[in-house]
Amino acid sequence: MRIFEPHAHMFSRVTDDYERMAAAGVVAVLEPAFWLGQPRTTVGSFVDYFSSLLGWERFRASQFGVRHFCTMGLNPKESNNPKLADEVIALLPRYLNKEGVVAIGEIGFDDQTDAEERSLVQQLQLAREHDLPVLIHTPHRDKKRGTIRTIEVVRRAGFPEERVLIDHNNEETLPIVLETRCWAGHSIYPNTKVDEQRMAALVRKYGADRIIINSAADWGISDPLKVPKTLAVMRTKGIPEEMIEKIVWHNPVAFFGQTGRLDVADLTERPAIDRQKKFENNSVLRGEQITAAR
Ligand SMILES: [Zn+2]
């Protein structure tokens, strides 16, 4: 079964991850712009990071037969640095119409501060101006309150709910999100949050409509194979194939494709792997390059 991994920070991962993901059926990966583990001190770091997501990382994925898309945005945590936040918000429009950008994200709440809300509102406005959906992160602490507050902000902004993916849901927040027209993402982590078994139970209870799952693989303890692993567990629990396919393929493709930025026809084939290819004079080859030149 083809898999669209709708949330993985591949910037932080190694080539083995791409190889294993491709072997497990991952055809396309969406990389949301996020923080980097430690706070950035200048807007120039964002310029280079955004450029990497559109350039080297997209190229690197293609060298393993995986299509790469991204979302651009100012994350909640760094929204709390007011000077930097203003500079990044001003920078964003330069990137929003680039090829491969299919939404604004990850935006939303972390500590649930007023500065985070301000940056969320500003980016909902940018999404409206650029005809993009939004990927919204929900806080790890006090998640229920953060989810409700997120929905209130979206409604107050008059942003179309069907263009909102609220991510990192759990048993407590999913029913709240399903009462709206927003889509509901779930990050399957090795030790915390929702695991494969709990996710399968949620699907049995609520069905597959607007349900999305991801690995949220990043710099911490996480597993880029969590989508294929959850798929396997859903099968053992007797969840029908059409429902599983909807969750791991049709839903993310429909959500990120709804404003026409995702070339759905193009997704049916894997990119051809040509490792002699270079991006700005760099390739994924190391020793092999020297051997090939001899
Ligand atoms: Zn993330």
Side-chain angles (χ1 to χ4, degrees):
M1 191 179 288
R2 287 174 309 178
I3 295 171
F4 188 110
E5 160 61 84
H7 191 144
H9 302 287
M10 300 310 295
F11 186 88
S12 68
R13 310 299 304 195
V14 296
T15 53
D16 288 8
D17 292 331
Y18 273 123
E19 275 179 358
R20 293 186 303 141
M21 289 166 86
V26 175
V27 172
V29 55
L30 180 124
E31 173 148 14
F34 207 40
W35 57 70
L36 298 180
Q38 76 174 49
R40 279 165 279 199
T41 54
T42 82
V43 71
S45 302
F46 281 86
V47 172
D48 291 338
Y49 174 63
F50 292 161
S51 301
S52 291
L53 297 185
L54 291 165
W56 172 249
E57 203 53 55
R58 187 173 165 86
F59 169 79
R60 200 164 78 104
S62 74
Q63 294 302 289
F64 298 91
V66 176
R67 297 205 185 271
H68 184 278
F69 303 93
C70 65
T71 69
M72 288 287 165
L74 171 62
N75 63 78
K77 220 183 259 260
E78 287 172 303
S79 299
N80 291 307
N81 176 340
K83 180 174 174 287
L84 193 61
D86 286 345
E87 290 172 340
V88 176
I89 298 281
L91 172 72
L92 276 172
R94 200 197 290 180
Y95 292 92
L96 297 179
N97 292 326
K98 301 266 191 207
E99 197 187 338
V101 177
V102 294
I104 289 187
E106 295 176 55
I107 57 178
F109 288 115
D110 182 53
D111 273 336
Q112 306 193 39
T113 63
D114 292 341
E116 291 168 14
E117 179 165 330
R118 180 168 171 263
S119 143
L120 171 58
V121 170
Q122 286 173 322
Q123 293 181 92
L124 287 172
Q125 182 57 29
L126 279 179
R128 194 198 300 275
E129 287 164 14
H130 292 265
D131 196 25
L132 284 166
V134 295
L135 169 58
I136 301 190
H137 167 96
T138 52
H140 305 306
R141 299 167 302 276
D142 209 355
K143 185 178 281 293
K144 185 179 174 188
R145 189 167 68 89
T147 304
I148 293 169
R149 190 169 169 192
T150 298
I151 294 166
E152 285 169 358
V153 171
V154 166
R155 289 191 166 157
R156 231 178 294 134
F159 194 83
E161 290 177 15
E162 59 279 6
R163 290 192 175 187
V164 176
L165 169 52
I166 298 181
D167 212 341
H168 314 311
N169 282 287
N170 60 22
E171 287 84 352
E172 195 179 26
T173 60
L174 175 59
I176 299 171
V177 173
L178 287 181
E179 277 174 23
T180 70
R181 295 199 312 284
C182 302
W183 298 63
H186 303 79
S187 299
I188 318 298
Y189 281 111
N191 304 322
T192 56
K193 291 194 190 166
V194 179
D195 63 14
E196 294 94 318
Q197 311 288 334
R198 282 166 63 188
M199 190 64 230
L202 283 174
V203 172
R204 286 178 67 94
K205 183 167 180 188
Y206 295 101
D209 287 353
R210 289 183 285 137
I211 300 286
I212 284 174
I213 60 172
N214 60 66
S215 70
D218 66 3
W219 298 258
I221 296 169
S222 50
D223 176 356
L225 296 185
K226 278 298 186 188
V227 175
K229 286 178 181 174
T230 306
L231 184 162
V233 169
M234 287 193 285
R235 273 188 180 141
T236 66
K237 302 286 178 191
I239 295 169
E241 287 291 294
E242 315 83 73
M243 274 173 79
I244 298 176
E245 193 176 22
K246 190 169 178 180
I247 292 168
V248 303
W249 183 261
H250 294 294
N251 282 351
V253 169
F255 178 78
F256 290 107
Q258 63 184 313
T259 60
R261 297 285 193 97
L262 192 69
D263 187 348
V264 179
D266 201 40
L267 281 178
T268 51
E269 262 179 72
R270 281 190 185 276
I273 297 174
D274 174 5
R275 292 194 176 155
Q276 298 306 315
K277 262 195 180 166
K278 292 186 175 178
F279 177 82
E280 294 189 352
N281 220 22
N282 194 11
S283 84
V284 294
L285 301 180
R286 292 295 176 262
E288 310 92 304
Q289 216 165 359
I290 297 157
T291 317
R294 272 185 189 141

